[in-house]
Amino acid sequence: MHQILGKNMDGHTEFNNLAIDRGDLTRIIRSTAEDPNAFGVIHASQTAVNAQGLERFPEESFRKEDPELRAWVKQSSAVLGHLDRVRGEVIYDLGQEKKDVVAWNKMMNYHVYGAPLTPIPVIGDVAQRVVDAGTTSYMNDLNAKIDADTRNNMVNHYDNGERQMYAMLRQMAMKRGLTESDLDASPGEYEDGIQPQVQQWYQSGIKDADMKMGER
């Protein structure tokens, strides 16, 4: 999923030798997302993949441009954008029944925090802390009051995926030795190189999922 939604694959995926079209995968996830249990597993597993990928980068990658780190952030952000666009459509389709939205989010809360990380055979302590930071940020949005205004103004809804990726990057960078001053330094790789990748490619993932689901 990370490669199909995060890259423009010209061949088979590295992990399972798949060649499924990105649009087909997006629509499969959309159908699956009708069940918050299934979507929770997908989202939490992707969060673990993102964190495990970040774990391999040393401190220097957060201080000076590292094309591999930028590429990983790009791919991870695009996938989260895809997933959040799918979730947004499900929430919108629930209509005006607030209790349905609350119930959906309650199940998401259980399955994301239930850490269905079994698809990831090995995850280190640092990566686990990054997962925790990311899921906490994500669930803060899910646990917020959701009403008709939220469904009519999806801009606020789509902030949560960006916040999740920022939280994961911040956690990893500080684990690698960067300080808050380092994170905010401009010009600086973290402030001016890595973080813009999140915003650009998260939004790109949303727009691409939108088109793949036939909305535009």
Side-chain angles (χ1 to χ4, degrees), residues 133-182:
T135 52
T136 297
S137 177
Y138 190 77
M139 295 314 302
N140 283 342
D141 176 78
L142 286 180
N143 290 332
K145 179 182 177 183
I146 296 181
D147 54 23
D149 288 339
T150 301
R151 288 187 291 275
N152 291 329
N153 180 12
M154 299 304 284
V155 173
N156 292 332
H157 159 72
Y158 288 126
D159 282 344
N160 72 305
E162 281 189 70
R163 287 199 300 269
Q164 180 187 24
M165 197 64 206
Y166 288 140
M168 294 172 73
L169 281 168
R170 177 186 176 88
Q171 180 77 8
M172 183 60 74
M174 296 188 77
K175 284 291 181 181
R176 292 294 186 248
L178 276 72
T179 64
E180 290 187 357
S181 296
D182 294 329

mmCIF file of all heavy atoms in Angstrom, residues 133-182:
data_model
loop_
_atom_site.group_PDB
_atom_site.id
_atom_site.type_symbol
_atom_site.label_atom_id
_atom_site.label_comp_id
_atom_site.label_asym_id
_atom_site.label_seq_id
_atom_site.Cartn_x
_atom_site.Cartn_y
_atom_site.Cartn_z
ATOM 1 N N ALA A 133 3.231 8.797 19.155
ATOM 2 C CA ALA A 133 3.061 10.232 18.921
ATOM 3 C C ALA A 133 2.093 10.480 17.775
ATOM 4 O O ALA A 133 1.229 11.358 17.836
ATOM 5 C CB ALA A 133 4.415 10.880 18.617
ATOM 6 N N GLY A 134 2.231 9.672 16.713
ATOM 7 C CA GLY A 134 1.364 9.848 15.558
ATOM 8 C C GLY A 134 -0.078 9.488 15.834
ATOM 9 O O GLY A 134 -0.996 10.213 15.447
ATOM 10 N N THR A 135 -0.313 8.374 16.530
ATOM 11 C CA THR A 135 -1.691 7.954 16.792
ATOM 12 C C THR A 135 -2.371 8.889 17.785
ATOM 13 O O THR A 135 -3.564 9.154 17.674
ATOM 14 C CB THR A 135 -1.745 6.514 17.324
ATOM 15 O OG1 THR A 135 -0.863 6.373 18.432
ATOM 16 C CG2 THR A 135 -1.345 5.534 16.245
ATOM 17 N N THR A 136 -1.608 9.418 18.745
ATOM 18 C CA THR A 136 -2.191 10.372 19.688
ATOM 19 C C THR A 136 -2.673 11.610 18.958
ATOM 20 O O THR A 136 -3.784 12.097 19.181
ATOM 21 C CB THR A 136 -1.163 10.768 20.761
ATOM 22 O OG1 THR A 136 -0.798 9.607 21.514
ATOM 23 C CG2 THR A 136 -1.744 11.814 21.701
ATOM 24 N N SER A 137 -1.843 12.121 18.053
ATOM 25 C CA SER A 137 -2.231 13.297 17.282
ATOM 26 C C SER A 137 -3.453 13.007 16.424
ATOM 27 O O SER A 137 -4.381 13.808 16.333
ATOM 28 C CB SER A 137 -1.059 13.742 16.398
ATOM 29 O OG SER A 137 -1.421 14.843 15.585
ATOM 30 N N TYR A 138 -3.476 11.844 15.813
ATOM 31 C CA TYR A 138 -4.595 11.471 14.944
ATOM 32 C C TYR A 138 -5.882 11.331 15.740
ATOM 33 O O TYR A 138 -6.935 11.815 15.328
ATOM 34 C CB TYR A 138 -4.263 10.153 14.254
ATOM 35 C CG TYR A 138 -5.220 9.766 13.152
ATOM 36 C CD1 TYR A 138 -5.153 10.379 11.908
ATOM 37 C CD2 TYR A 138 -6.175 8.777 13.352
ATOM 38 C CE1 TYR A 138 -6.018 10.026 10.888
ATOM 39 C CE2 TYR A 138 -7.045 8.418 12.334
ATOM 40 C CZ TYR A 138 -6.961 9.041 11.109
ATOM 41 O OH TYR A 138 -7.820 8.688 10.104
ATOM 42 N N MET A 139 -5.803 10.681 16.904
ATOM 43 C CA MET A 139 -7.011 10.435 17.679
ATOM 44 C C MET A 139 -7.544 11.704 18.317
ATOM 45 O O MET A 139 -8.729 11.803 18.615
ATOM 46 C CB MET A 139 -6.757 9.379 18.749
ATOM 47 C CG MET A 139 -6.422 7.995 18.185
ATOM 48 S SD MET A 139 -7.499 7.447 16.831
ATOM 49 C CE MET A 139 -9.101 7.515 17.617
ATOM 50 N N ASN A 140 -6.698 12.693 18.555
ATOM 51 C CA ASN A 140 -7.196 13.955 19.089
ATOM 52 C C ASN A 140 -8.244 14.543 18.163
ATOM 53 O O ASN A 140 -9.206 15.167 18.603
ATOM 54 C CB ASN A 140 -6.045 14.942 19.282
ATOM 55 C CG ASN A 140 -5.218 14.631 20.508
ATOM 56 O OD1 ASN A 140 -5.664 13.908 21.397
ATOM 57 N ND2 ASN A 140 -4.005 15.163 20.562
ATOM 58 N N ASP A 141 -8.050 14.354 16.852
ATOM 59 C CA ASP A 141 -9.038 14.839 15.893
ATOM 60 C C ASP A 141 -10.282 13.962 15.907
ATOM 61 O O ASP A 141 -11.404 14.453 15.906
ATOM 62 C CB ASP A 141 -8.441 14.853 14.487
ATOM 63 C CG ASP A 141 -9.461 15.260 13.434
ATOM 64 O OD1 ASP A 141 -9.739 16.460 13.318
ATOM 65 O OD2 ASP A 141 -9.989 14.363 12.752
ATOM 66 N N LEU A 142 -10.092 12.650 15.950
ATOM 67 C CA LEU A 142 -11.238 11.755 15.918
ATOM 68 C C LEU A 142 -12.138 11.936 17.131
ATOM 69 O O LEU A 142 -13.352 11.762 17.047
ATOM 70 C CB LEU A 142 -10.768 10.299 15.861
ATOM 71 C CG LEU A 142 -10.196 9.794 14.542
ATOM 72 C CD1 LEU A 142 -9.794 8.336 14.693
ATOM 73 C CD2 LEU A 142 -11.206 9.928 13.424
ATOM 74 N N ASN A 143 -11.532 12.272 18.265
ATOM 75 C CA ASN A 143 -12.292 12.383 19.496
ATOM 76 C C ASN A 143 -12.968 13.738 19.662
ATOM 77 O O ASN A 143 -13.715 13.957 20.601
ATOM 78 C CB ASN A 143 -11.386 12.125 20.704
ATOM 79 C CG ASN A 143 -10.972 10.667 20.786
ATOM 80 O OD1 ASN A 143 -11.691 9.786 20.338
ATOM 81 N ND2 ASN A 143 -9.821 10.413 21.366
ATOM 82 N N ALA A 144 -12.677 14.655 18.755
ATOM 83 C CA ALA A 144 -13.306 15.970 18.823
ATOM 84 C C ALA A 144 -14.786 15.857 18.468
ATOM 85 O O ALA A 144 -15.226 14.907 17.825
ATOM 86 C CB ALA A 144 -12.612 16.926 17.862
ATOM 87 N N LYS A 145 -15.560 16.832 18.920
ATOM 88 C CA LYS A 145 -16.991 16.835 18.614
ATOM 89 C C LYS A 145 -17.191 16.934 17.101
ATOM 90 O O LYS A 145 -16.607 17.791 16.441
ATOM 91 C CB LYS A 145 -17.673 18.019 19.304
ATOM 92 C CG LYS A 145 -19.173 18.100 18.999
ATOM 93 C CD LYS A 145 -19.782 19.325 19.662
ATOM 94 C CE LYS A 145 -21.257 19.427 19.296
ATOM 95 N NZ LYS A 145 -21.882 20.638 19.868
ATOM 96 N N ILE A 146 -17.986 16.039 16.550
ATOM 97 C CA ILE A 146 -18.261 16.038 15.123
ATOM 98 C C ILE A 146 -19.738 16.315 14.915
ATOM 99 O O ILE A 146 -20.591 15.653 15.481
ATOM 100 C CB ILE A 146 -17.881 14.688 14.484
ATOM 101 C CG1 ILE A 146 -16.382 14.477 14.615
ATOM 102 C CG2 ILE A 146 -18.307 14.638 13.026
ATOM 103 C CD1 ILE A 146 -15.896 13.196 14.001
ATOM 104 N N ASP A 147 -20.020 17.335 14.127
ATOM 105 C CA ASP A 147 -21.413 17.682 13.862
ATOM 106 C C ASP A 147 -21.570 18.038 12.393
ATOM 107 O O ASP A 147 -20.668 17.848 11.588
ATOM 108 C CB ASP A 147 -21.880 18.821 14.773
ATOM 109 C CG ASP A 147 -20.960 20.036 14.680
ATOM 110 O OD1 ASP A 147 -20.260 20.175 13.655
ATOM 111 O OD2 ASP A 147 -20.955 20.853 15.613
ATOM 112 N N ALA A 148 -22.731 18.576 12.058
ATOM 113 C CA ALA A 148 -23.006 18.882 10.659
ATOM 114 C C ALA A 148 -22.022 19.900 10.111
ATOM 115 O O ALA A 148 -21.622 19.823 8.945
ATOM 116 C CB ALA A 148 -24.437 19.407 10.514
ATOM 117 N N ASP A 149 -21.599 20.845 10.945
ATOM 118 C CA ASP A 149 -20.652 21.848 10.476
ATOM 119 C C ASP A 149 -19.335 21.212 10.067
ATOM 120 O O ASP A 149 -18.703 21.625 9.091
ATOM 121 C CB ASP A 149 -20.401 22.901 11.564
ATOM 122 C CG ASP A 149 -21.607 23.810 11.758
ATOM 123 O OD1 ASP A 149 -22.431 23.893 10.818
ATOM 124 O OD2 ASP A 149 -21.709 24.420 12.828
ATOM 125 N N THR A 150 -18.898 20.209 10.820
ATOM 126 C CA THR A 150 -17.649 19.535 10.479
ATOM 127 C C THR A 150 -17.772 18.847 9.139
ATOM 128 O O THR A 150 -16.879 18.917 8.304
ATOM 129 C CB THR A 150 -17.280 18.504 11.554
ATOM 130 O OG1 THR A 150 -17.152 19.171 12.816
ATOM 131 C CG2 THR A 150 -15.953 17.825 11.219
ATOM 132 N N ARG A 151 -18.898 18.175 8.922
ATOM 133 C CA ARG A 151 -19.076 17.481 7.647
ATOM 134 C C ARG A 151 -19.195 18.460 6.496
ATOM 135 O O ARG A 151 -18.853 18.142 5.356
ATOM 136 C CB ARG A 151 -20.298 16.565 7.721
ATOM 137 C CG ARG A 151 -20.059 15.345 8.593
ATOM 138 C CD ARG A 151 -21.219 14.365 8.506
ATOM 139 N NE ARG A 151 -22.432 14.871 9.131
ATOM 140 C CZ ARG A 151 -22.707 14.765 10.425
ATOM 141 N NH1 ARG A 151 -21.842 14.177 11.241
ATOM 142 N NH2 ARG A 151 -23.821 15.228 10.913
ATOM 143 N N ASN A 152 -19.701 19.655 6.770
ATOM 144 C CA ASN A 152 -19.820 20.655 5.715
ATOM 145 C C ASN A 152 -18.544 21.462 5.522
ATOM 146 O O ASN A 152 -18.410 22.178 4.542
ATOM 147 C CB ASN A 152 -20.979 21.609 6.020
ATOM 148 C CG ASN A 152 -22.320 20.914 5.905
ATOM 149 O OD1 ASN A 152 -22.476 19.994 5.118
ATOM 150 N ND2 ASN A 152 -23.282 21.356 6.703
ATOM 151 N N ASN A 153 -17.627 21.358 6.473
ATOM 152 C CA ASN A 153 -16.361 22.075 6.366
ATOM 153 C C ASN A 153 -15.241 21.075 6.601
ATOM 154 O O ASN A 153 -14.678 20.974 7.675
ATOM 155 C CB ASN A 153 -16.297 23.211 7.394
ATOM 156 C CG ASN A 153 -14.994 23.991 7.306
ATOM 157 O OD1 ASN A 153 -14.239 23.834 6.345
ATOM 158 N ND2 ASN A 153 -14.729 24.820 8.296
ATOM 159 N N MET A 154 -14.906 20.336 5.559
ATOM 160 C CA MET A 154 -13.950 19.249 5.697
ATOM 161 C C MET A 154 -12.512 19.739 5.792
ATOM 162 O O MET A 154 -11.593 18.959 5.977
ATOM 163 C CB MET A 154 -14.093 18.277 4.528
ATOM 164 C CG MET A 154 -15.476 17.633 4.438
ATOM 165 S SD MET A 154 -15.956 16.763 5.951
ATOM 166 C CE MET A 154 -14.973 15.285 5.802
ATOM 167 N N VAL A 155 -12.310 21.071 5.678
ATOM 168 C CA VAL A 155 -10.955 21.607 5.799
ATOM 169 C C VAL A 155 -10.368 21.252 7.163
ATOM 170 O O VAL A 155 -9.228 20.798 7.277
ATOM 171 C CB VAL A 155 -10.952 23.135 5.603
ATOM 172 C CG1 VAL A 155 -9.565 23.706 5.899
ATOM 173 C CG2 VAL A 155 -11.362 23.484 4.179
ATOM 174 N N ASN A 156 -11.161 21.434 8.226
ATOM 175 C CA ASN A 156 -10.677 21.110 9.563
ATOM 176 C C ASN A 156 -10.387 19.625 9.703
ATOM 177 O O ASN A 156 -9.413 19.215 10.338
ATOM 178 C CB ASN A 156 -11.711 21.532 10.618
ATOM 179 C CG ASN A 156 -11.852 23.037 10.702
ATOM 180 O OD1 ASN A 156 -10.908 23.761 10.410
ATOM 181 N ND2 ASN A 156 -13.021 23.501 11.082
ATOM 182 N N HIS A 157 -11.226 18.816 9.093
ATOM 183 C CA HIS A 157 -11.035 17.368 9.155
ATOM 184 C C HIS A 157 -9.690 16.960 8.570
ATOM 185 O O HIS A 157 -8.989 16.104 9.113
ATOM 186 C CB HIS A 157 -12.163 16.674 8.401
ATOM 187 C CG HIS A 157 -11.839 15.275 7.979
ATOM 188 N ND1 HIS A 157 -11.753 14.237 8.868
ATOM 189 C CD2 HIS A 157 -11.539 14.751 6.762
ATOM 190 C CE1 HIS A 157 -11.436 13.120 8.213
ATOM 191 N NE2 HIS A 157 -11.303 13.414 6.938
ATOM 192 N N TYR A 158 -9.310 17.588 7.463
ATOM 193 C CA TYR A 158 -8.110 17.157 6.774
ATOM 194 C C TYR A 158 -6.825 17.669 7.422
ATOM 195 O O TYR A 158 -5.736 17.339 6.978
ATOM 196 C CB TYR A 158 -8.161 17.568 5.302
ATOM 197 C CG TYR A 158 -9.161 16.758 4.517
ATOM 198 C CD1 TYR A 158 -10.156 17.370 3.766
ATOM 199 C CD2 TYR A 158 -9.130 15.366 4.561
ATOM 200 C CE1 TYR A 158 -11.082 16.619 3.066
ATOM 201 C CE2 TYR A 158 -10.052 14.604 3.866
ATOM 202 C CZ TYR A 158 -11.023 15.243 3.111
ATOM 203 O OH TYR A 158 -11.938 14.492 2.436
ATOM 204 N N ASP A 159 -6.948 18.469 8.472
ATOM 205 C CA ASP A 159 -5.749 18.899 9.197
ATOM 206 C C ASP A 159 -5.101 17.747 9.953
ATOM 207 O O ASP A 159 -3.915 17.774 10.236
ATOM 208 C CB ASP A 159 -6.094 19.999 10.209
ATOM 209 C CG ASP A 159 -6.259 21.360 9.538
ATOM 210 O OD1 ASP A 159 -5.809 21.493 8.380
ATOM 211 O OD2 ASP A 159 -6.832 22.255 10.166
ATOM 212 N N ASN A 160 -5.888 16.730 10.308
ATOM 213 C CA ASN A 160 -5.373 15.739 11.248
ATOM 214 C C ASN A 160 -4.270 14.872 10.669
ATOM 215 O O ASN A 160 -3.333 14.490 11.363
ATOM 216 C CB ASN A 160 -6.510 14.851 11.773
ATOM 217 C CG ASN A 160 -7.024 13.877 10.726
ATOM 218 O OD1 ASN A 160 -7.412 14.291 9.642
ATOM 219 N ND2 ASN A 160 -7.028 12.606 11.038
ATOM 220 N N GLY A 161 -4.335 14.537 9.379
ATOM 221 C CA GLY A 161 -3.283 13.727 8.774
ATOM 222 C C GLY A 161 -1.952 14.451 8.743
ATOM 223 O O GLY A 161 -0.907 13.851 8.993
ATOM 224 N N GLU A 162 -2.003 15.744 8.434
ATOM 225 C CA GLU A 162 -0.776 16.537 8.463
ATOM 226 C C GLU A 162 -0.208 16.579 9.878
ATOM 227 O O GLU A 162 0.991 16.407 10.083
ATOM 228 C CB GLU A 162 -1.049 17.957 7.980
ATOM 229 C CG GLU A 162 -1.132 18.110 6.479
ATOM 230 C CD GLU A 162 -1.192 19.558 6.058
ATOM 231 O OE1 GLU A 162 -0.168 20.256 6.192
ATOM 232 O OE2 GLU A 162 -2.261 20.007 5.600
ATOM 233 N N ARG A 163 -1.067 16.793 10.858
ATOM 234 C CA ARG A 163 -0.595 16.850 12.241
ATOM 235 C C ARG A 163 0.036 15.533 12.664
ATOM 236 O O ARG A 163 1.013 15.510 13.415
ATOM 237 C CB ARG A 163 -1.757 17.202 13.179
ATOM 238 C CG ARG A 163 -2.203 18.645 13.099
ATOM 239 C CD ARG A 163 -3.010 19.031 14.334
ATOM 240 N NE ARG A 163 -4.198 18.204 14.479
ATOM 241 C CZ ARG A 163 -5.379 18.513 13.963
ATOM 242 N NH1 ARG A 163 -5.533 19.607 13.253
ATOM 243 N NH2 ARG A 163 -6.420 17.718 14.158
ATOM 244 N N GLN A 164 -0.535 14.434 12.193
ATOM 245 C CA GLN A 164 0.021 13.132 12.539
ATOM 246 C C GLN A 164 1.444 12.993 12.004
ATOM 247 O O GLN A 164 2.357 12.579 12.710
ATOM 248 C CB GLN A 164 -0.834 12.001 11.991
ATOM 249 C CG GLN A 164 -0.260 10.630 12.342
ATOM 250 C CD GLN A 164 -0.984 9.484 11.677
ATOM 251 O OE1 GLN A 164 -1.616 9.659 10.632
ATOM 252 N NE2 GLN A 164 -0.907 8.314 12.265
ATOM 253 N N MET A 165 1.653 13.348 10.744
ATOM 254 C CA MET A 165 2.977 13.210 10.145
ATOM 255 C C MET A 165 3.966 14.168 10.799
ATOM 256 O O MET A 165 5.121 13.810 11.055
ATOM 257 C CB MET A 165 2.892 13.468 8.639
ATOM 258 C CG MET A 165 4.083 12.962 7.859
ATOM 259 S SD MET A 165 4.235 11.161 7.942
ATOM 260 C CE MET A 165 6.004 10.961 7.670
ATOM 261 N N TYR A 166 3.522 15.385 11.089
ATOM 262 C CA TYR A 166 4.397 16.340 11.782
ATOM 263 C C TYR A 166 4.801 15.796 13.153
ATOM 264 O O TYR A 166 5.963 15.916 13.570
ATOM 265 C CB TYR A 166 3.697 17.686 11.970
ATOM 266 C CG TYR A 166 3.534 18.499 10.706
ATOM 267 C CD1 TYR A 166 2.357 19.207 10.461
ATOM 268 C CD2 TYR A 166 4.549 18.577 9.747
ATOM 269 C CE1 TYR A 166 2.192 19.956 9.307
ATOM 270 C CE2 TYR A 166 4.388 19.320 8.599
ATOM 271 C CZ TYR A 166 3.213 20.007 8.381
ATOM 272 O OH TYR A 166 3.055 20.753 7.232
ATOM 273 N N ALA A 167 3.843 15.212 13.874
ATOM 274 C CA ALA A 167 4.128 14.682 15.202
ATOM 275 C C ALA A 167 5.141 13.545 15.138
ATOM 276 O O ALA A 167 6.047 13.448 15.976
ATOM 277 C CB ALA A 167 2.841 14.203 15.872
ATOM 278 N N MET A 168 5.008 12.691 14.138
ATOM 279 C CA MET A 168 5.933 11.567 13.990
ATOM 280 C C MET A 168 7.337 12.060 13.642
ATOM 281 O O MET A 168 8.340 11.582 14.191
ATOM 282 C CB MET A 168 5.413 10.608 12.933
ATOM 283 C CG MET A 168 4.106 9.923 13.328
ATOM 284 S SD MET A 168 3.360 8.957 11.992
ATOM 285 C CE MET A 168 4.493 7.560 11.945
ATOM 286 N N LEU A 169 7.426 13.020 12.730
ATOM 287 C CA LEU A 169 8.730 13.575 12.355
ATOM 288 C C LEU A 169 9.389 14.278 13.532
ATOM 289 O O LEU A 169 10.594 14.134 13.768
ATOM 290 C CB LEU A 169 8.556 14.556 11.191
ATOM 291 C CG LEU A 169 8.404 13.944 9.807
ATOM 292 C CD1 LEU A 169 7.952 15.003 8.812
ATOM 293 C CD2 LEU A 169 9.723 13.323 9.350
ATOM 294 N N ARG A 170 8.599 15.061 14.246
ATOM 295 C CA ARG A 170 9.135 15.785 15.401
ATOM 296 C C ARG A 170 9.677 14.810 16.445
ATOM 297 O O ARG A 170 10.772 15.009 16.980
ATOM 298 C CB ARG A 170 8.029 16.655 16.010
ATOM 299 C CG ARG A 170 8.443 17.422 17.272
ATOM 300 C CD ARG A 170 7.226 18.127 17.867
ATOM 301 N NE ARG A 170 7.550 18.781 19.115
ATOM 302 C CZ ARG A 170 8.006 20.018 19.220
ATOM 303 N NH1 ARG A 170 8.188 20.744 18.133
ATOM 304 N NH2 ARG A 170 8.277 20.541 20.396
ATOM 305 N N GLN A 171 8.907 13.761 16.732
ATOM 306 C CA GLN A 171 9.343 12.773 17.712
ATOM 307 C C GLN A 171 10.653 12.128 17.292
ATOM 308 O O GLN A 171 11.577 11.983 18.096
ATOM 309 C CB GLN A 171 8.257 11.710 17.880
ATOM 310 C CG GLN A 171 8.588 10.605 18.872
ATOM 311 C CD GLN A 171 8.443 11.044 20.310
ATOM 312 O OE1 GLN A 171 7.953 12.138 20.577
ATOM 313 N NE2 GLN A 171 8.856 10.219 21.244
ATOM 314 N N MET A 172 10.758 11.728 16.024
ATOM 315 C CA MET A 172 11.971 11.065 15.552
ATOM 316 C C MET A 172 13.153 12.023 15.535
ATOM 317 O O MET A 172 14.269 11.662 15.949
ATOM 318 C CB MET A 172 11.750 10.493 14.153
ATOM 319 C CG MET A 172 12.955 9.711 13.615
ATOM 320 S SD MET A 172 13.413 8.288 14.666
ATOM 321 C CE MET A 172 12.100 7.134 14.265
ATOM 322 N N ALA A 173 12.936 13.250 15.066
ATOM 323 C CA ALA A 173 14.031 14.220 15.010
ATOM 324 C C ALA A 173 14.587 14.510 16.399
ATOM 325 O O ALA A 173 15.809 14.582 16.591
ATOM 326 C CB ALA A 173 13.552 15.507 14.351
ATOM 327 N N MET A 174 13.717 14.653 17.375
ATOM 328 C CA MET A 174 14.176 14.954 18.731
ATOM 329 C C MET A 174 14.833 13.729 19.361
ATOM 330 O O MET A 174 15.764 13.862 20.162
ATOM 331 C CB MET A 174 13.021 15.490 19.573
ATOM 332 C CG MET A 174 12.484 16.813 19.042
ATOM 333 S SD MET A 174 11.279 17.645 20.098
ATOM 334 C CE MET A 174 12.355 18.358 21.352
ATOM 335 N N LYS A 175 14.366 12.536 18.990
ATOM 336 C CA LYS A 175 15.043 11.325 19.451
ATOM 337 C C LYS A 175 16.454 11.240 18.872
ATOM 338 O O LYS A 175 17.354 10.645 19.473
ATOM 339 C CB LYS A 175 14.240 10.084 19.070
ATOM 340 C CG LYS A 175 13.015 9.838 19.927
ATOM 341 C CD LYS A 175 13.418 9.444 21.338
ATOM 342 C CE LYS A 175 12.199 9.170 22.198
ATOM 343 N NZ LYS A 175 12.597 8.812 23.605
ATOM 344 N N ARG A 176 16.638 11.825 17.703
ATOM 345 C CA ARG A 176 17.944 11.806 17.059
ATOM 346 C C ARG A 176 18.858 12.931 17.543
ATOM 347 O O ARG A 176 20.007 13.021 17.127
ATOM 348 C CB ARG A 176 17.782 11.905 15.538
ATOM 349 C CG ARG A 176 17.136 10.665 14.913
ATOM 350 C CD ARG A 176 18.051 9.455 15.058
ATOM 351 N NE ARG A 176 17.531 8.286 14.359
ATOM 352 C CZ ARG A 176 17.100 7.193 14.966
ATOM 353 N NH1 ARG A 176 17.096 7.129 16.302
ATOM 354 N NH2 ARG A 176 16.669 6.161 14.269
ATOM 355 N N GLY A 177 18.333 13.821 18.404
ATOM 356 C CA GLY A 177 19.196 14.837 18.994
ATOM 357 C C GLY A 177 18.889 16.271 18.639
ATOM 358 O O GLY A 177 19.560 17.188 19.137
ATOM 359 N N LEU A 178 17.901 16.522 17.779
ATOM 360 C CA LEU A 178 17.561 17.888 17.441
ATOM 361 C C LEU A 178 16.786 18.529 18.587
ATOM 362 O O LEU A 178 16.032 17.855 19.302
ATOM 363 C CB LEU A 178 16.730 17.954 16.160
ATOM 364 C CG LEU A 178 17.515 17.945 14.841
ATOM 365 C CD1 LEU A 178 18.117 16.564 14.570
ATOM 366 C CD2 LEU A 178 16.627 18.368 13.674
ATOM 367 N N THR A 179 16.966 19.827 18.765
ATOM 368 C CA THR A 179 16.233 20.579 19.770
ATOM 369 C C THR A 179 15.093 21.341 19.102
ATOM 370 O O THR A 179 14.993 21.388 17.869
ATOM 371 C CB THR A 179 17.151 21.587 20.470
ATOM 372 O OG1 THR A 179 17.596 22.556 19.496
ATOM 373 C CG2 THR A 179 18.373 20.886 21.067
ATOM 374 N N GLU A 180 14.229 21.957 19.907
ATOM 375 C CA GLU A 180 13.146 22.745 19.340
ATOM 376 C C GLU A 180 13.694 23.890 18.505
ATOM 377 O O GLU A 180 13.129 24.245 17.465
ATOM 378 C CB GLU A 180 12.241 23.277 20.447
ATOM 379 C CG GLU A 180 11.414 22.190 21.125
ATOM 380 C CD GLU A 180 10.406 22.752 22.101
ATOM 381 O OE1 GLU A 180 10.405 23.994 22.284
ATOM 382 O OE2 GLU A 180 9.628 21.962 22.664
ATOM 383 N N SER A 181 14.809 24.472 18.946
ATOM 384 C CA SER A 181 15.440 25.543 18.164
ATOM 385 C C SER A 181 15.928 25.022 16.822
ATOM 386 O O SER A 181 15.810 25.704 15.793
ATOM 387 C CB SER A 181 16.615 26.145 18.942
ATOM 388 O OG SER A 181 16.166 26.765 20.126
ATOM 389 N N ASP A 182 16.465 23.799 16.823
ATOM 390 C CA ASP A 182 16.910 23.191 15.566
ATOM 391 C C ASP A 182 15.739 22.978 14.621
ATOM 392 O O ASP A 182 15.850 23.191 13.407
ATOM 393 C CB ASP A 182 17.588 21.840 15.828
ATOM 394 C CG ASP A 182 18.891 21.973 16.599
ATOM 395 O OD1 ASP A 182 19.579 22.998 16.440
ATOM 396 O OD2 ASP A 182 19.216 21.036 17.353
#
